[in-house]
């Protein structure tokens, strides 16, 4: 498939260099090539780059263009300047990136909206946004190549690699390689600096303009007083004289190296010489307004037409740069700057600072548009006298009079930089992210056309002024220029003249009549060369001064007779009959060979006449001189030539070279050897300027000279190269000029001569062998090593050029040039040379010499280049030689060299396609690379490990993102190529584990990328080797999930319902306060902040929508800046998860502040957004808003680095991280599915009992923060795995797995995102296959409740159920809903019959929907209990009753799980002990013991049986709740039967015993001890038994003591409490019975309950109903809350509730009873006549009997009243009951046995108390009042006879018992009570007398 080299992508072999996009010229300009050159033109390997000519191209004058063949050196010079450059397009590698990868926004759990909805909204608005944005920003991004089309069906998600390396920049990655070659631009000399175009718009005078004006503009340096450029000439004609070809349209273009305050424009104006007696130039400078008369205008017009000569008129200087600007600074333009900010901001990238600023003080800024400004120069200074440029700047000069006129100029800054042919092709679209195209400016979508000079923005008629600094720079000449600038300065005469000078160039001085050479450049642009040129006229001056610049083209070779001839004329400036004619005054001659190189001033005498041969010294005496032969003529010359070297040694070398080539010198060539050797003494500037031709000539000599000449030329070349490297300003390892020479200029003589590589290899090889043999070779050897890169690159280019020329004509269309087989001799020579150099690298590395590493890189690039040129097997021999020398794990330095070598080699375009040395080898280079990289991962040097990992990542990125490798078969081939590496990792896992986390990520991304593209067969083969190896394979996948997880700590405060401010966040609402309960945080949720911020910051939402237009820059919808909060110390990395290259990218981008460098749309966008953000209602910037929103939750130090990023960059970073995490998870999921299928076929090696490979991955996957795309893909796989392996996965061995999966499914069931939540419901249904799952789910629900905040604070400060709790409830309900499940299954992509099929496939008893309903209800109960508990959080300490109840409900809800049941019971026990509710606390302990005891009895484990359990039930009825054997035996990890032991039961029984004795409920203690004793008996623990029996003794004694107490014992008091009012919530209209301590009175409980509920009334009134009457709730005030509290009495089991007697509790305490009460009563008096109170005859009594839900003492302090019965007693029954009650009390006192005499005192006291209340005379409400009420008057008639008889009988019995009691009293009293006894007797007698009125029979009875 990849056996042959594929053509370069996008290459059409028929495409010629003539196509416009390959040429830096106008389309249609065709450069003819010879047939041989067409080989290069075809675009196969080399590309011709047209040489871009300088300004006004210096052409060899046809007259001067002699036959160059007789001057070989000239031929070389012209060739080196004139031919096109030849560029090897393969040299710097080839990489054509696929289109930008578009990362999808990952949808995570979000705070207040479903993010999918938000994204849909954003997308819908996208089309509208697109229209408006497109008007402002034109996109030029190329078409995207979607590489995923073919893989849609194959893969679940995108490849992880693009997200890991989202800004992969191949060039940048290569630049990090040590010694990396950087391609140089071939026009460095002319591309740097700033270019300024000056155009003269108009000239106007106050007096008007009627004659032509001429002018020159040049760049001038005021400080150094020198011209920097040649003159740009222009003319301004009056309107009537203008023609269409006016030169004013042209622009002068000047180049400025660096801005400086001393650089200015010097403008000099001329006008026709003034007529004597005519209109003088002073009319232009008068102060008072003046207008020319018509006559004056006519005179001026006529004169200017006949006068061809001009005179100086005025001058001005325009500074281009502020004095504050230096070349290093970049300050802004000053207010007077003629170049505006827009111009400054777009200054060239070469580093020039902002240009221009002030004109002169009175210069005015006109208007500006784009990059140009219009400057009005009003300070034109009139020339008053003869002047020169120097005198202008002389501080002592006379002040020149200003001209009343204005010159308007347009100054424009032209975008700098030569755009050569490659840039026009390659840089059509700049790259910003390495993968993402960036919009250029609005015009850039059109094809950038380059003018013939290679500049954009330059018109054909523009004049590019020659930059004189070219001739003095230390840079090679690249262009042909050969001319002389002549500057006549002054002529000093003895009398005043109107003098001007004519200049001409003559070939000899033989005959003056011969015409001069046409060599003078005209002042008219584009005109032909002329024979002579004139200066201005110096009018009426004794010392005539000139400032003309005369440009002369020179002959290629000049002889001693070539000279300049100056002729001096006087002209009369008066009009007589005809136009004035000039008169010759004298001559001056200047021989070129003598003076041309002089830079200083030259002075010459003036000859009166010209004699023949006037140059010869012999004729000098005959010549007649003016002014006594003094040197009166001063002038200056400036030679600008790239043909004529200033250096004599170079000229000598050229001369000897010519003689050698033309064979005119003696054959031994000693003069040539001397000339060659003397080159080392040439001045460095001159050497550099002629570097390229000299190198060409030396290479020619090396290529075909004799051995001596070869060695001399080679040594001279080494010396020159070393000097160039050391002395040039460029400090790079590969000198810029030399790189330029090799890459562009060197053409191996264009095929005209034999190639140089054999000679070069031979001469260098012999030198290396001499060194190896130990001969002295001198310092040149070290120099040649330092410059080895140059020679090696030269050798390869020479080979490649030969290869291209050899094969071009024989190539079939569309084929690449085949590799060239080197001749045996040449290859042997190269092998020997390579071996010598390798030895040098090895030895010098060990010594730690820096040169070795550079030499190593050079050798690597040599092999790299050879791979493209010669037969690969020959290259592999070189590589093999290298690896033999550097075998195994070497020292760090050597190992580093080896890695660099491989890194460079494997970066070759054809690396993947290189066949091995042996046909059996798949790929020699890749196998070597894998082996060496794996070795390096075990290297002790940590930096080596990182480097090795990086090499592989970059390689895989190159394969993944290169257009050439996008076919599936290519990807598969590459994956198989690298797959052995995965095997090596599995074989040596400790090597992997020893890597740092960064390297691990690099390795893991490599592994994932390889596996992704691998075929299933290869994967299965890898899993077949052993169980351990398969397990290690999945360990690698686990590491992938762990290392690329999006941190689960994105806890962001949920602001959604609480942000009420408009402009920004107000602290009291924002929910940022520490410790507040406003937030509802999920520990795993990855919640986003920005969706809520959007509400408050509409501009942010706008920004998101705007950014959505460009997917690569899009903000995460509904996403904030989320950063991981690791517990690691603050790191300088922006991202831990992404490639290390990201940190560098972000660091660079952060410096720009606008975002990625050079992204106009980003900068523009940010300005747009800022304008919105800064509006008054939006005071915050986006950054401040996001930073403030996160500040409270996210550690400042951890966050600081990310916070410093521009928000767009921060969003990008997060998008990449999330995409990476999602891609890795999906990739692992894909592998799991393949593995699951393989397991089902039983063809691989794994643990089939537990399937731990699958379970471990699932546990990690579920526990991580995943996006929606992952959850969507997960559940079909999850279902498939359970279908195939359900029985194994549900086995008890996998309890830990089941518990974790159950937990995470419940966690997902809380999610806001409906898509995820519904899938979680499906997951739960897939999971629920056995009854054990009920326990597992209950356990995990409990754990979930501890992580979810199920409450939410409302605006009024109260708590309510949170959204999470509501969603969890909804999920649990849906779980049991069969109809809804079908819909969800359909949405999730699962078949509707999923669960039906499941039930059929599994052998064990499976669930039905009814069972799932039971489970669902059970879980809902637990949820409700947890919710209620949480809602009470704020009042937990205040309302202990409610707190205890919530603990109780939790204990009941989690009853299926013994551990949780016990845990909540113990919490409840602790709460009761805090309240000192000892009986309730004891009941909790009993309940715990009961749980343990039941489990033990169920398992037949222990000493108890069901009888013991029943005994315990009598104490605590709750124990009777059955615990299923499944639950008690469920040993889920961390839970279950292991804790249910006899010892724990005994422990809790003893606790119950202790608590019951504190409650003084001793009869319970006895029952408990009787359960403990069997345990001690079975263990024969006699000591413990003794203690138990002692305790029993004490218990029974305590019971006896209670019963014998005269005051009846009560263990508690009971109160009925009724709640009425909506504010009570669930308590409204409910009644409870409270059990309180026995010392709590009615007032106490009223106060306590009022205190509890008043704080919760929220402003409503709380009212306590004072009586116990029946409450009609509907008649109460709606906004008032009522409490009704009534004391109640417990009802004994055998008590007669229908008895009319008044209840006295002491009557019932006759024997020991279990104090367990579940019924209570209280009596309420009432009347039926509507009166609130009446007499006894009207007083009825209502008895209320209450039945509670359970019995006291219970697990809680209050029980709900479930049933209430009412009994009513009539007034007479009341009266009878009252009398009977008193009779019974007296009789009871009389009949109670007393043990001894000592008990008489308490008996006497109680007897006195009862008697006093019965017979005292003052007691009017006693029996006497009963008689009065019922036995007299009208009431007596209403009584039935039976009632009457019962009443009389009761009265009689009462009086009889009283009489008996008085007698007993008499026996008991002493002396002191005699008086009291007398009163009792008297009272009894008077009572009897009173009663006799109603019952006469009473007297006889008593």
């Amino acid at each position: 498939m990849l056996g042959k080299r594929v053509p370069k992508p996008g290459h059409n072999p028929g495409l010629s260099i003539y196509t416009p996009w390959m040429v830096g010229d106008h389309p249609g300009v065709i450069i003819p090539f010879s047939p041989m050159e067409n080989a290069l033109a075809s675009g196969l390997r080399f590309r011709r780059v047209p040489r871009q000519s300088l300004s006004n191209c210096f052409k060899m004058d046809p007259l001067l263009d002699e036959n160059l063949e007789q001057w070989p050196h000239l031929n070389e010079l012209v060739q080196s300047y004139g031919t096109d450059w030849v560029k090897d397009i393969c040299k710097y590698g080839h990489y054509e990136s696929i289109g930008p990868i578009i990362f999808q926004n990952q949808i995570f759990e979000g705070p207040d909206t479903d993010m999918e909805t938000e994204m849909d909204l954003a997308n819908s608005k996208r089309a509208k946004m697109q229209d408006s944005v497109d008007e402002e920003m034109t996109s030029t991004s190329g078409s995207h190549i979607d590489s995923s089309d073919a893989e849609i069906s194959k893969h679940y998600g995108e490849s992880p690699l693009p997200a890991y390396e989202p800004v992969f920049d191949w060039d940048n990655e290569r630049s990090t390689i040590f010694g990396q070659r950087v391609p140089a631009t071939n026009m460095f000399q002319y591309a740097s600096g700033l270019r300024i175009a000056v155009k003269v718009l108009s000239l106007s005078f106050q007096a008007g303009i009627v004659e032509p004006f001429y002018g020159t503009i040049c760049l001038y340096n005021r400080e150094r007083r020198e011209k920097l450029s040649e003159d740009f000439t222009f003319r301004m004609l009056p309107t009537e004289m203008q023609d269409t070809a006016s030169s004013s349209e042209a622009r002068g273009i000047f180049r400025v190296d660096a801005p400086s305050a001393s650089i200015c424009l010097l403008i000099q104006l001329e006008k026709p010489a003034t007529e004597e007696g005519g209109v003088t130039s002073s009319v232009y400078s008068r102060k008072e307004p003046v207008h020319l008369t018509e006559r004056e205008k006519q005179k001026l017009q006529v004169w200017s037409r006949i006068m061809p000569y001009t005179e100086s008129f005025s001058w001005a200087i325009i500074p281009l740069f502020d004095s504050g600007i230096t070349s290093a600074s970049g300050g802004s333009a000053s207010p007077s700057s003629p170049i505006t900010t827009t111009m400054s901001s777009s200054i060239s990238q070469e580093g020039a600072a902002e240009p221009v600023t002030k004109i002169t003080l009175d210069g005015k800024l006109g208007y500006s548009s784009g990059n140009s400004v219009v400057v009005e120069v009003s300070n034109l200074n009139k020339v008053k006298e003869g002047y020169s440029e120097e005198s202008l700047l002389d501080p002592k000069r006379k002040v020149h009079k200003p001209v009343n006129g204005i010159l308007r100029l347009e100054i424009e800054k032209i975008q700098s930089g030569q755009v050569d042919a490659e840039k026009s092709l390659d840089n059509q679209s700049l790259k910003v992210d390495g993968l993402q195209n960036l919009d250029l400016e609005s015009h850039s979508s059109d094809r950038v056309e380059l003018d013939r000079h290679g500049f954009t923005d330059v018109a054909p008629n523009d004049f590019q002024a020659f930059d004189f600094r070219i001739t003095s720079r230390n840079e090679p000449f690249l262009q042909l220029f050969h001319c002389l600038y002549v500057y006549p300065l002054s002529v000093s005469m003895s009398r005043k003249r109107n003098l001007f000078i004519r200049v001409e160039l003559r070939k000899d001085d033989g005959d003056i009549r011969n015409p001069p050479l046409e060599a003078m450049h005209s002042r008219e642009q584009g005109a032909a060369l002329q024979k002579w040129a004139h200066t201005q006229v110096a009018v009426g001056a004794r010392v005539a001064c000139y400032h003309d610049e005369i440009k002369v083209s020179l002959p290629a070779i000049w002889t001693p007779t070539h000279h300049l001839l100056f002729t001096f004329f006087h002209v009369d400036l008066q009009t007589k009959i005809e136009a004035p004619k000039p008169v010759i005054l004298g001559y001056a001659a200047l021989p070129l060979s003598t003076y041309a190189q002089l830079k200083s001033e030259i002075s010459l005498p003036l000859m009166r006449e010209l004699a023949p041969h006037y140059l010869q010294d012999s004729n000098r005496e005959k010549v007649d001189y003016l002014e006594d032969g003094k040197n009166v003529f001063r002038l200056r010359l400036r030679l600008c030539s790239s043909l004529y070297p200033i250096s004599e040694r170079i000229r000598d070398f050229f001369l000897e070279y010519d003689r050698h080539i033309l064979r005119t010198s003696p054959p031994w060539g000693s003069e040539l050897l001397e000339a060659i050797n003397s080159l080392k003494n040439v001045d460095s500037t001159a050497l550099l300027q002629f570097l390229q031709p000299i190198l060409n000539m030396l290479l020619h000599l090396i290529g075909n000279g004799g051995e001596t000449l070869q060695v001399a030329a080679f040594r001279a070349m080494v010396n020159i190269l070393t000097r160039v490297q050391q002395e040039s300003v460029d400090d790079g390892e590969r000198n810029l000029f030399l790189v330029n020479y090799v890459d562009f200029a060197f053409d191996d003589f264009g095929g005209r001569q034999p190639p140089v590589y054999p000679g070069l290899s031979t001469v260098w090889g012999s030198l290396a062998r001499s060194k190896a043999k130990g001969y002295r070779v001198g310092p040149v050897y070290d120099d040649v090593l330092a410059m080895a890169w140059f020679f090696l690159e030269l050798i390869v280019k020479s080979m490649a050029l030969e290869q291209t020329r050899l094969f071009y004509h024989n190539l079939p269309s569309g084929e690449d040039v085949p590799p060239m087989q080197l001749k045996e001799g040449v290859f042997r020579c190269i092998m020997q040379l390579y071996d010598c150099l390798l030895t040098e690298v090895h030895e010098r590395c060990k010594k730690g010499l820096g040169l070795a590493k550079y030499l190593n890189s050079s050798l690597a690039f040599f092999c790299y280049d050879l791979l493209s040129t010669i037969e690969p097997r020959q290259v592999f021999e070189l590589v093999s030689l290298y690896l033999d020398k550097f075998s195994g794990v070497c020292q760090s330095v050597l190992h580093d060299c080896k890695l660099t070598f491989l890194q460079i080699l494997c970066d070759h375009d054809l690396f993947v396609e290189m066949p091995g040395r042996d046909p059996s080898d798949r790929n020699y280079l890749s196998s070597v690379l894998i082996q060496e990289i794996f070795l390096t991962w075990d290297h002790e040097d940590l930096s080596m490990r990182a480097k090795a990992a990086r090499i592989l990542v970059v390689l895989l990125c190159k394969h993944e993102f290169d257009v050439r490798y996008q076919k599936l078969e290519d990807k598969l081939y590459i994956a198989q190529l690298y797959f052995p590496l995965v095997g090596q990792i599995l074989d040596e896992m400790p090597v992997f584990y020893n890597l740092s986390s960064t390297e691990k990520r690099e390795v893991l991304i490599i592994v994932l990328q390889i596996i992704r593209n691998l075929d299933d067969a290869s994967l299965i083969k890898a899993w077949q080797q052993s169980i351990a190896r398969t397990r290690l394979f999945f360990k690698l996948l686990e590491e992938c999930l762990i290392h690329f997880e999006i941190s689960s700590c994105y806890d962001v405060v949920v602001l959604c319902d609480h942000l009420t401010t408009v402009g920004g966040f107000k602290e009291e609402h924002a929910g940022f306060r520490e410790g507040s309960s406003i937030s509802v945080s999920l520990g795993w949720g990855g919640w986003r902040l920005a969706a809520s911020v959007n509400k408050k910051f509409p501009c942010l939402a706008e920004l998101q929508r705007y950014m959505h237009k460009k997917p690569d820059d899009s903000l995460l919808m509904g996403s904030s800046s989320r950063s991981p909060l690791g517990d690691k110390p603050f790191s300088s990395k922006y991202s831990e998860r992404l490639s290390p290259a990201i940190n560098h990218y972000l660091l660079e981008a952060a410096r720009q502040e606008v975002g990625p460098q050079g992204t106009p749309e980003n900068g523009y966008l940010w300005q747009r957004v800022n304008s919105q953000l800064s509006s008054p209602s939006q005071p915050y910037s986006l950054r401040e808003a996001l930073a403030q929103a996160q500040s409270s939750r996210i550690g400042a130090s951890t966050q600081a680095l990310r916070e410093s990023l521009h928000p767009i960059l921060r969003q990008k970073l997060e998008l990449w991280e999330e995409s990476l995490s999602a891609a890795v998870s999906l990739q692992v999921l894909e592998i799991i599915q393949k593995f699951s299928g393989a397991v089902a076929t039983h063809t691989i090696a794994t643990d089939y009992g537990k399937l731990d490979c699958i379970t471990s991955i699932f546990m990690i996957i579920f526990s991580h923060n995943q996006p929606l795309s992952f959850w969507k893909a997960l559940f079909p796989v999850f279902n498939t795995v359970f279908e195939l392996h359900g029985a194994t996965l549900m086995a008890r061995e996998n309890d830990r797995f089941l518990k974790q999966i159950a937990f995470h499914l419940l966690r997902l069931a809380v999610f806001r995102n409906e898509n995820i939540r519904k899938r979680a419901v499906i997951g739960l249904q897939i999971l629920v296959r056995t009854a054990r799952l009920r326990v597992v789910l209950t356990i995990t629900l409990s754990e979930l409740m501890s992580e979810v905040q199920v409450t939410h604070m409302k605006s009024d400060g109260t708590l309510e159920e949170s959204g999470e709790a509501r969603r969890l409830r909804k999920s649990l309900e849906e779980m049991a809903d069969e109809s809804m499940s079908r819909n969800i299954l359909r949405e999730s992509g699962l078949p509707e019959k999923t669960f039906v099929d499941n039930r059929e496939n599994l052998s064990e008893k499976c669930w039905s929907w009814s069972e799932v309903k039971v489970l669902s209800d059970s879980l809902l109960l637990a949820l409700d209990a947890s919710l209620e508990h949480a809602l009470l959080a704020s009042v937990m300490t205040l309302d202990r009753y409610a707190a205890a109840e919530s603990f109780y409900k939790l204990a009941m809800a989690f009853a299926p799980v013994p551990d949780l049941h016990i845990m909540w019971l113990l919490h409840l026990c602790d709460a009761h002990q805090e309240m000192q509710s000892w009986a309730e606390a004891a009941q909790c302990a009993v309940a715990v013991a009961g749980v343990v005891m039941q489990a033990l009895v169920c398992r037949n484990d222990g000493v108890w049986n069901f009888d013991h359990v029943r005994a315990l039930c009598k104490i605590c009825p709750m124990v009777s709740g059955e615990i299923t054997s499944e639950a008690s035996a469920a040993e889920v990890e961390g839970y279950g039967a292991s804790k249910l032991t006899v010892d724990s039961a005994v422990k809790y029984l003893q606790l119950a015993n202790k608590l019951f004795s504190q409650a003084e409920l001793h009869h319970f203690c006895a029952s408990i001890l009787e359960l403990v004793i069997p345990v001690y008996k079975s263990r024969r623990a006699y000591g413990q038994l003794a203690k138990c029996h002692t305790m029993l003794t004490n218990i029974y004694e305590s019971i006896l003591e209670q019963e014998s107490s005269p005051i009846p014992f009560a263990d508690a008091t009971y109160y009925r409490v009724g709640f009425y009012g909506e504010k009570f919530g669930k308590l409204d209209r409910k009644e409870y019975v409270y059990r309180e301590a026995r010392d709590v009175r009615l007032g106490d409980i009223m106060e306590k309950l009022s205190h509890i509920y008043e704080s919760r009334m929220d402003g409503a009134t709380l009212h306590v109903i004072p009586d116990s009457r029946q409450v009609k709730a509907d008649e109460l005030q709606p906004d008032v809350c009522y409490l009704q509290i009534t004391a109640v009495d417990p009802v004994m089991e055998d008590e007669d509730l229908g008895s009319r007697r008044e209840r006295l509790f002491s009557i019932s305490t006759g024997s020991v009873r279990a104090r367990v009460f579940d019924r209570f009563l209280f009596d309420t008096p009432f009347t039926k006549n509507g009166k609130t109170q009446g007499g006894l005859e009207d007083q009825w009594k209502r008895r209320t009997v209450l039945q509670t839900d359970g019995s006291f003492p219970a697990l809680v302090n209050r029980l709900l009243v479930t049933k209430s019965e009412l009994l009513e007693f009539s007034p007479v029954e009341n009266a009878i009951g009252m009398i009977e009650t008193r009779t019974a009390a007296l009789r009871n006192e009389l009949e109670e046995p007393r043990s001894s005499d000592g008990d008489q005192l308490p008996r006497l006291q109680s007897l006195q108390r009862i008697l006093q209340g019965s017979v005292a005379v003052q007691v009017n409400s006693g029996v006497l009042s009963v008689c009065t009420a019922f036995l007299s008057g009208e009431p007596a008639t209403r009584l039935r006879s039976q009632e009457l008889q019962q009443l009389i009988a009761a009265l009689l019995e009462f009086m009889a018992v009283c009489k008996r009691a008085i007698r007993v009293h008499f026996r008991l009293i002493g002396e002191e009570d005699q008086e009291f006894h007398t009163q009792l007797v008297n009272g009894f007698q008077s009572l009897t007398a009173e009663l006799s009125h109603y019952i006469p029979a009473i007297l006889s009875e008593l």
Side-chain angles (χ1 to χ4, degrees), residues 230 236 288 375 420 446 730 792 1312 1374 1602 1718 1871:
E230 65 176 323
M236 301 305 292
E288 68 280 358
V375 178
D420 61 27
D446 304 321
D730 179 41
L792 291 172
R1312 242 186 198 94
E1374 285 176 7
Q1602 281 180 357
D1718 62 356
E1871 285 293 328

Side-chain angles (χ1 to χ4, degrees), residues 686-706:
L687 182 66
L688 259 177
Q689 287 174 341
F690 287 90
L691 176 68
Q692 294 192 359
I694 289 175
L695 290 181
N696 279 338
M697 292 177 209
L698 288 174
L699 281 172
H700 188 189
L701 296 175
I702 290 171
N704 59 4

Side-chain angles (χ1 to χ4, degrees), residues 1515-1531:
I1515 304 171
C1516 180
M1518 198 206 86
V1519 173
S1520 63
E1522 285 185 16
I1523 291 182
T1524 62
S1525 56
E1526 185 74 42
S1528 61
E1531 294 199 37

